[in-house]
């Protein structure tokens, strides 16, 4: 879903980037903590399943659980909802997913932290 946010309002990418550390920062911090063999894995989690577009629209309008949407004016939010609705026309149910990054490293003794 966030992909649609960024497609419609590219300025939100900058807001999002400021909220998350860069990959190199995470790697550096893990190395400084004595971790080696650092890996990152992605996991997709189903955030919510909507029965229809109306349910998704209502959820987006509430901005609940989506602090990024508070960066938009009410008019911009309606513009976003309209664009997402057009792209999702005819899809039922709608599965919204979030992507998580999982960082793994081993300490010098070889145990996973």
């Amino acid at each position: 879903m966030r992909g649609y946010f960024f497609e419609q309002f590219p300025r939100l990418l900058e807001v999002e980037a400021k909220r998350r550390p860069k990959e190199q920062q995470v790697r550096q911090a893990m190395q400084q903590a004595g971790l080696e063999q650092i890996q990152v894995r992605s996991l997709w989690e189903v955030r919510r399943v909507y029965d229809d577009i109306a349910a998704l629209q209502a959820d987006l309008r509430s901005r609940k659980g989506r602090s990024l949407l508070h960066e938009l004016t009410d008019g911009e939010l309606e513009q976003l909802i309209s664009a997402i609705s057009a792209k999702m026309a005819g899809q039922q149910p709608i599965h919204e997913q979030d992507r998580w990054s999982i960082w793994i490293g081993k300490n010098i003794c070889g145990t996973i932290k």
Side-chain angles (χ1 to χ4, degrees):
M1 197 61 60
R2 285 183 185 275
Y4 293 129
F5 300 175
F6 303 138
E7 181 180 298
Q8 200 65 34
F9 296 99
R11 74 174 193 271
L12 295 178
L13 279 169
E14 185 178 327
V15 174
E16 185 76 0
K18 288 179 182 177
R19 298 179 345 168
R20 306 195 189 293
K22 304 243 184 282
E23 181 175 333
Q24 185 57 33
Q25 291 172 306
V26 175
R27 284 187 185 280
Q28 233 173 13
M30 291 178 76
Q31 288 168 342
Q32 288 173 352
L35 298 174
E36 301 172 345
Q37 299 177 5
I38 297 168
Q39 302 172 27
V40 63
R41 296 190 181 143
S42 293
L43 169 73
W44 285 96
E45 173 188 40
V46 174
R47 180 182 185 276
R48 187 161 172 196
V49 177
Y50 302 93
D51 291 333
D52 54 32
I53 196 67
L56 173 60
Q57 291 169 338
D59 194 48
L60 290 170
R61 281 189 183 97
S62 76
R63 302 179 200 230
K64 184 179 177 185
R66 294 187 179 89
S67 59
L68 195 58
L69 294 182
H70 290 280
E71 299 292 325
L72 301 177
T73 66
D74 290 345
E76 288 172 329
L77 180 60
E78 288 304 318
Q79 181 182 338
L80 175 65
I81 291 169
S82 178
I84 290 173
S85 298
K87 288 186 182 273
M88 301 244 168
Q91 293 184 35
Q92 285 182 268
I94 298 167
H95 295 258
E96 181 179 3
Q97 297 182 340
D98 287 331
R99 186 177 141 223
W100 297 92
S101 296
I102 301 170
W103 290 87
I104 302 165
K106 292 185 179 183
N107 68 16
I108 296 170
C109 298
T111 52
I112 296 177
K113 284 191 174 186

